[in-house]
């Protein structure tokens, strides 16, 4: 999936390009609507995970039809992600909906 390649390269533009113009990202803290707001979400995540000393492990990667689920865990200098889950709904090759939930322990 292009999003994951963009994430692995920590490429904000490559990740953003995988979203539809009117996509939404739903987190426990906020709903991001449209690419301008989603850029803020991606930039924050990339900033955290582009530092020295990060780790990330994918525990599950499953796509069925237009719905995807990624379960992962990881560490950054600021946080431990003991469990994280991203779900995606893809239509016409673009993400139209993305949810993120995690058990995050600040360091």
């Amino acid at each position: 999936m292009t999003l994951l390649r963009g994430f692995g390269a920590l490429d904000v533009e490559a990740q953003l390009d995988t979203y539809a113009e009117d996509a939404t990202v739903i987190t426990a803290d906020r709903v991001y609507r449209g690419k301008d707001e989603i850029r803020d979400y991606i930039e924050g995540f990339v900033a955290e995970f582009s530092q020295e000393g990060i780790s990330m492990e994918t525990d599950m990667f499953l796509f069925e039809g237009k719905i995807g689920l990624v379960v992962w865990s990881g560490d950054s200098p600021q946080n431990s992600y003991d469990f994280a889950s991203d779900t995606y709904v893809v239509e016409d090759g673009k993400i139209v909906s993305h949810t993120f939930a995690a058990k995050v322990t600040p360091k």
Side-chain angles (χ1 to χ4, degrees):
M1 178 176 196
T2 304
L3 172 70
L4 297 179
R5 285 193 297 275
F7 181 77
L10 299 172
D11 185 332
V12 172
E13 293 306 316
Q15 290 181 51
L16 192 61
D17 190 50
T18 64
Y19 288 85
E21 290 296 326
D22 60 347
T24 57
V25 175
I26 300 170
T27 72
D29 300 321
R30 179 175 170 195
V31 176
Y32 299 82
R33 294 177 180 89
K35 281 188 161 183
D36 288 339
E37 291 185 14
I38 293 170
R39 177 186 302 280
D40 294 340
Y41 170 76
I42 294 170
E43 286 175 344
F45 207 78
V46 166
E48 182 174 354
F49 278 91
S50 63
Q51 302 175 70
E52 293 290 323
I54 64 104
S55 66
M56 183 177 280
E57 182 174 326
T58 302
D59 300 311
M60 178 187 292
F61 181 86
L62 177 65
F63 273 80
E64 180 67 33
K66 65 180 187 175
I67 300 172
L69 171 65
V70 180
V71 176
W72 58 276
S73 57
D75 281 287
S76 75
Q78 292 85 12
N79 299 299
S80 290
Y81 291 78
D82 302 318
F83 174 88
S85 174
D86 290 274
T87 58
Y88 302 92
V89 177
V90 178
E91 293 178 358
D92 298 321
K94 296 285 185 178
I95 298 167
V96 296
S97 182
H98 171 188
T99 67
F100 170 75
K103 179 181 182 303
V104 181
T105 305
K107 293 184 176 177

